[in-house]
Structures are given as C-alpha cells and as structure tokens.
C-alpha cells in the first residue's frame, strides 16, 4: 500500500511537470490529455492514502495533518495548472507548493512511522 502511495504521488508530480511544459509550449491538446490522466492519479493518491489511514489503529493529529497537506498539494497541482493556462500570476502558489512539499515529506518520511524504507 505504501509503495502504491509513493508511486502514485511521484507519478502525479511527473505528470504535473509535463502538463505545465506542454501548456507553456502551447500544446493544449497534449496538456489536456495529461491533465486527465493526472486527475485519475489523484484518485490513486487519495485511495492509497485512505487505505494507509485505515491500517492505523491510533489516528493522531499528525495523520490528520498529513492528510490535509496531501490534499493541499493536490489542490495546488490543479490551481497552478489552471492559472498558468490562463496566463495568470502563480508566484504565491509556488511558495505554497514548496512549503507544502517540505511539510508532506517531513510528515511522511520522518514524523509518521510507516515507510518504504523498512520492510512491512
Ligand atoms: C500529493 C499528495 C501527497 C504526497 C506528496 C504524499 C506523500 C507521502 C509520503 C512522502 C509518505 C511517506 C512514505 C514513506 O515513509 O515511505 C506518505 C505516507 C502516507 N500518506 Fe501521503 N501523500 C500525499 C497525499 C496523501 C493523502 C491525500 C492522504 C490521505 C487521504 C495521505 C495519507 C498518507 C498516510 C496515512 C501515510 C502513511 C504515514 C505513516 O504512517 O508513515 N497522503 N505520503
């Protein structure tokens, strides 16, 4: 489950970057297809994330925070793609993006116990 989760968000990040470059290069049709795939991958991230939550017997505040920051990143993927497609400013969103990633990596890899680093 944790490998599926990590694979899903890593894939989402790659697709997000590809969609962004396609949009910037004016390749709207390609960007549209990549964004559709990206939305399916969001469901995989949320599905595996919820699956992991259900495996935990004691859900504490760190798990809630992890879930919220994860959803925040998914929201940012969508808003950044939407705004950059419309040629609107995204500076503040990119700051949020960096902060959210630092938080999610800290919570996921450091603060919370499950990990791809250890055999389950
Ligand atoms: C793009 C969004 C997300 C990113 C980048 C992300 C990132 C991560 C990372 C880095 C880990 C740790 C993996 C490891 O230690 O090997 C993790 C674990 C986890 N994630 Fe996510 N996640 C995201 C979305 C979500 C969502 C939406 C949920 C809940 C619905 C969620 C729930 C969890 C849970 C429960 C764990 C296991 C924590 C543990 O006990 O160690 N994640 N995630």
């Amino acid at each position: 489950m944790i490998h599926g989760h990590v694979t899903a968000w890593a894939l989402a990040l790659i697709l997000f970057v590809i969609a962004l470059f396609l949009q910037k290069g004016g390749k709207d049709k390609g960007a549209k297809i990549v964004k559709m795939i990206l939305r399916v991958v969001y469901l995989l991230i949320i599905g595996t994330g919820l699956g992991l939550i259900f495996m935990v017997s004691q859900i504490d505040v760190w798990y809630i925070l992890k879930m919220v920051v994860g959803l925040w990143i998914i929201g940012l993927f969508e808003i950044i793609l939407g705004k950059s497609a419309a040629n609107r400013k995204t500076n503040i969103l990119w700051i949020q993006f960096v902060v959210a990633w630092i938080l999610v990596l800290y919570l996921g890899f450091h603060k919370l116990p499950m990990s791809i680093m250890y055999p389950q």
Side-chain angles (χ1 to χ4, degrees), residues 5 8 12 36-50 74:
H5 189 63
M36 274 165 57
I37 303 169
L38 183 57
R39 287 181 189 130
V40 177
V41 178
Y42 295 156
L43 297 180
L44 295 178
I45 298 173
I46 296 169
T48 51
L50 287 176
I74 293 174

Side-chain angles (χ1 to χ4, degrees), residues 2 5-6 9 45-46 49-50 52-53 63 66-67 70-71 73-74 77 101 104-105 108-109 112-117:
I2 193 116
H5 189 63
V6 173
W9 62 250
I45 298 173
I46 296 169
L50 287 176
L52 288 166
I53 295 242
Y63 276 101
K66 170 71 190 52
M67 194 164 77
L71 292 172
I73 292 182
I74 293 174
F77 279 155
W101 271 95
V104 95
L105 294 177
F109 283 126
L112 293 167
M114 280 185 257
S115 180
I116 50 167
M117 314 290 184

Side-chain angles (χ1 to χ4, degrees), residues 24-35:
K24 292 233 184 284
K27 304 209 169 11
D28 290 345
K29 199 160 181 210
K32 207 172 166 184
I33 294 168
V34 175
K35 282 197 273 185

Side-chain angles (χ1 to χ4, degrees), residues 35-99:
K35 282 197 273 185
M36 274 165 57
I37 303 169
L38 183 57
R39 287 181 189 130
V40 177
V41 178
Y42 295 156
L43 297 180
L44 295 178
I45 298 173
I46 296 169
T48 51
L50 287 176
L52 288 166
I53 295 242
F54 287 133
M55 286 162 67
V56 180
S57 50
Q58 196 73 36
I59 295 169
D60 58 20
V61 67
W62 299 110
Y63 276 101
I64 307 294
L65 200 62
K66 170 71 190 52
M67 194 164 77
V68 170
V69 180
L71 292 172
W72 182 22
I73 292 182
I74 293 174
L76 286 170
F77 279 155
E78 275 300 292
I79 303 169
I80 291 174
L81 283 171
K83 289 220 173 180
S84 67
N87 279 321
R88 306 220 340 245
K89 273 182 93 171
T90 49
N91 301 15
I92 292 166
L93 294 166
W94 281 111
I95 295 168
Q96 286 188 47
F97 193 76
V98 172
V99 172

